[in-house]
């Protein structure tokens, strides 16, 4: 039930917070010649974070000439991989929900449905782990590449001490941080669901039958062994007839009385 409720919801949060991101930063270059300064250099970027394609103009503080620069790095592979996993996980969880509710008998027929569901669940758990880890590393690189202090180092005007280069606004990465969190939450959710799906498969049923058969054989072996034999029967010698009716050293076994011995005998 938790899988049916939370899997589509967590998947939506994962790809929405990553795939729908757009942000930017603002820089300021104050040249020695104030007429050449640019105090509002806006640089915008968005998913899928092909930063090397993000261009912006910056003053050189050498007359009116400006230079065209670009950010460094291409982090689209990890971001797109993460979003793709989230989208397919969302679609599969919706389809599985429909099957669980409306086609339960068809799902259990021939044990094919639970087996497919188990395999897909294991695959998605692995993909969520790999995708979330890759995107966490990619996000760390994106933060470095879009750090205003790092971007200022790309400008030739900022290499001259007579010019003042300052960061005005840093990009807000809270939604991207949230996407990583939901990525690992999805991994925990799908990995935890492996056991519940496995119990629906024939592998779990056959394992239970095998364990029951083993216990039955062991119990029958104990019943047939020496623990259940009548050790006090004729073979044991304790119930042998007439053993108490014999005379032992002159005692009368039948009456159990010891004859008195007369003096002088």
């Amino acid at each position: 039930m938790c899988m049916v409720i939370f899997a589509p919801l967590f998947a939506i949060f994962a790809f929405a917070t990553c795939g729908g991101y757009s942000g930017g930063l603002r820089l300021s270059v104050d040249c020695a010649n104030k007429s050449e300064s640019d105090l509002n250099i806006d640089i915008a970027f968005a998913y899928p974070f092909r930063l090397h394609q993000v261009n912006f103009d910056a003053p050189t503080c050498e007359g009116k000439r400006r230079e065209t620069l670009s950010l460094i790095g291409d982090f689209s592979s990890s971001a797109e991989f993460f979003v793709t996993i989230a989208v397919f996980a969302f679609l599969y969880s919706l389809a599985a929900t429909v099957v669980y509710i409306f086609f339960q008998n068809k799902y259990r027929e021939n044990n094919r449905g639970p087996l497919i569901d188990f395999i897909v669940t294991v695959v998605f758990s692995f993909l969520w782990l790999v995708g979330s880890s890759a995107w966490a590393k990619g996000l760390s690189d994106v933060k470095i590449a879009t750090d205003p202090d790092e971007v200022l180092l790309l400008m030739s005007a900022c290499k001259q001490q007579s010019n003042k280069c300052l960061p005005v606004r840093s990009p807000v990465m809270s939604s991207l941080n949230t996407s990583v969190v939901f990525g690992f939450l999805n991994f925990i959710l799908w990995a935890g669901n492996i056991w519940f799906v496995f119990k629906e498969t024939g592998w779990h049923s056959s394992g239970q039958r095998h364990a029951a058969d083993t216990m039955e054989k062991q119990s029958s072996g104990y019943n047939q062994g020496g623990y259940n034999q009548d050790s006090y029967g004729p073979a044991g010698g304790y119930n042998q007839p007439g053993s108490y009716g014999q005379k032992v050293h002159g005692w009368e076994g039948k009456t159990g009385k010891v004859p008195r011995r007369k003096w002088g005998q």
Side-chain angles (χ1 to χ4, degrees), residues 95-240:
T97 302
V98 173
V99 172
Y100 292 158
I101 297 175
F102 299 104
F103 302 98
Q104 186 65 236
N105 295 331
K106 198 71 175 178
Y107 171 78
R108 298 178 181 273
E109 185 178 357
N110 298 327
N111 200 37
R112 184 178 301 175
L115 287 178
I116 295 175
D117 195 15
F118 173 74
I119 294 173
V120 174
T121 302
V122 172
V123 171
F124 268 114
S125 300
F126 175 74
L127 292 177
W128 273 118
L129 177 61
V130 175
S132 300
S133 301
W135 171 229
K137 177 60 171 62
L139 176 57
S140 177
D141 295 337
V142 169
K143 290 179 178 180
I144 295 174
T146 57
D147 186 357
D149 293 327
E150 295 293 329
V151 178
L152 288 173
L153 297 177
L154 302 176
M155 302 180 183
S156 59
C158 298
K159 298 177 182 179
Q160 302 175 12
Q161 295 182 355
S162 58
N163 304 320
K164 294 181 181 180
C165 300
L166 298 174
V168 178
R169 186 182 68 240
S170 300
V172 179
M173 300 286 188
S174 57
S175 63
L176 297 181
N177 295 331
T178 304
S179 68
V180 174
V181 173
F182 274 104
F184 284 106
L185 285 177
N186 274 285
F187 162 69
I188 296 173
L189 180 64
W190 285 80
N193 193 54
I194 291 177
W195 168 246
F196 298 100
V197 178
F198 176 73
K199 291 198 301 183
E200 300 292 332
T201 64
W203 297 336
H204 181 263
S205 301
S206 61
Q208 284 186 330
R209 287 196 299 267
H210 177 71
D213 294 340
T214 303
M215 294 296 295
E216 185 177 355
K217 290 179 181 179
Q218 290 179 353
S219 61
S220 62
Y222 283 117
N223 291 334
Q224 293 176 2
Y227 294 101
N228 199 33
Q229 293 181 351
D230 188 4
S231 58
Y232 300 98
Y238 293 99
N239 291 333
Q240 294 181 359

